Amino acid sequence: AQSVTQPDARVTVSEGASLQLRCKYSYSGTPYLFWYVQYPRQGLQLLLKYYSGDPVVQGVNGFEAEFSKSNSSFHLRKASVHWSDSAVYFCVLSRMGYAQGLTFGLGTRVSVFP
Amino acid sequence: NTKITQSPRYLILGRANKSLECEQHLGHNAMYWYKQSAEKPPELMFLYNLKQLIRNETVPSRFIPECPDSSKLLLHISAVDPEDSAVYFCASSQSTISNERLFFGHGTKLSVL
């Protein structure tokens, strides 16, 4: 069975500070990994995704994530956050060959304060 | 995101019957219904590909999906239960290949009295 763990339910940061959101996955095969963001009262939007190649992937709005096979991790980072980054961030795993068998983490709620 | 529209945005029900509607203007082949309860991630309810139902998760029989054409998705709900209070998201993707991104609508917030 596969699983995604986001150990931090809530993170609070000051505007302009850096942000790192942790994600650990468990899956015996090769995973597709995504980060989605959910702004208040909206649907989820894709930030970035990874399957192979350079373990550091760039996403929208200055976000990047780093894949580590040895650590089974896919952490999300941003160098300098803005108040508009306040949202819930979901780490998501997809299994190859299984029609959209998405496994979601529980999400991390990020609050950015001025 | 106006490329996937859902209606209504808010729905308050007693034990009535109602339908949620979704339309995507992206030319996608796959459409989904997700349920998101408070403080939880979305959970897949149904997946259609090319108008065929290919994923039907463990969902109470009072929820009946319908895909009248490749751009539209309906969710018929009868005799709702308080546990059905949640936000219901429609989503779409070009295909069901595992690395395809999903596009989500704004959701319909269902409140059961």
Side-chain angles (χ1 to χ4, degrees):
Chain A
Q2 65 288 336
S3 66
V4 175
T5 301
Q6 294 180 247
D8 304 308
R10 295 176 182 269
V11 170
T12 301
V13 293
S14 299
E15 196 167 26
S18 64
L19 175 70
Q20 176 169 286
L21 302 182
R22 295 181 291 165
C23 172
K24 300 271 286 185
Y25 69 90
S26 174
Y27 178 52
S28 57
T30 301
Y32 294 106
L33 293 162
F34 306 79
W35 277 98
Y36 281 85
V37 61
Q38 186 173 29
Y39 298 106
R41 295 173 297 283
Q42 294 188 29
L44 281 69
Q45 302 174 31
L46 181 70
L47 278 179
L48 46 79
K49 68 178 182 180
Y50 173 81
Y51 171 59
S52 65
D54 189 336
V56 178
V57 291
Q58 303 297 319
V60 298
N61 298 334
F63 284 94
E64 67 175 27
E66 183 167 5
F67 170 74
S68 171
K69 186 174 182 178
S70 60
N71 293 325
S72 298
S73 66
F74 189 54
H75 301 329
L76 181 70
R77 302 189 293 247
K78 186 171 183 178
S80 177
V81 296
H82 186 264
W83 64 267
S84 59
D85 293 322
S86 295
V88 180
Y89 293 79
F90 291 99
C91 183
V92 183
L93 178 151
S94 180
R95 295 168 286 168
M96 182 170 27
Y98 191 69
Q100 285 293 346
L102 299 182
T103 301
F104 285 79
L106 293 180
T108 297
R109 181 177 296 277
V110 174
S111 299
V112 180
F113 289 90
Chain B
N1 178 12
T2 58
K3 297 179 179 177
I4 301 181
T5 57
Q6 289 187 243
S7 62
R9 284 295 296 269
Y10 300 95
L11 188 59
I12 301 174
L13 289 179
R15 289 187 64 80
N17 301 337
K18 193 67 177 179
S19 296
L20 310 185
E21 300 182 3
C22 172
E23 184 169 12
Q24 55 99 358
H25 308 278
L26 297 164
H28 288 168
N29 293 323
M31 295 190 74
Y32 311 71
W33 280 115
Y34 277 88
K35 175 184 178 182
Q36 186 176 29
S37 301
E39 304 297 319
K40 290 188 176 180
E43 299 173 330
L44 180 65
M45 300 175 73
F46 303 104
L47 163 57
Y48 278 85
N49 189 45
L50 298 170
K51 295 175 57 179
Q52 299 298 312
L53 183 64
I54 63 169
R55 291 281 298 276
N56 183 352
E57 304 304 289
T58 305
V59 177
S61 58
R62 58 182 178 275
F63 290 91
I64 300 174
E66 181 184 357
C67 189
D69 65 58
S70 58
S71 67
K72 293 182 180 177
L73 196 60
L74 306 173
L75 184 64
H76 307 293
I77 313 173
S78 59
V80 291
D81 188 89
E83 70 179 24
D84 299 333
S85 293
V87 180
Y88 292 83
F89 287 103
C90 174
S92 71
S93 61
Q94 182 60 51
S95 73
T96 58
I97 296 175
S98 305
N99 65 344
E100 285 280 354
R101 66 176 287 188
L102 268 63
F103 291 79
F104 286 79
H106 279 95
T108 293
K109 185 173 184 178
L110 172 63
S111 300
V112 179
L113 302 176

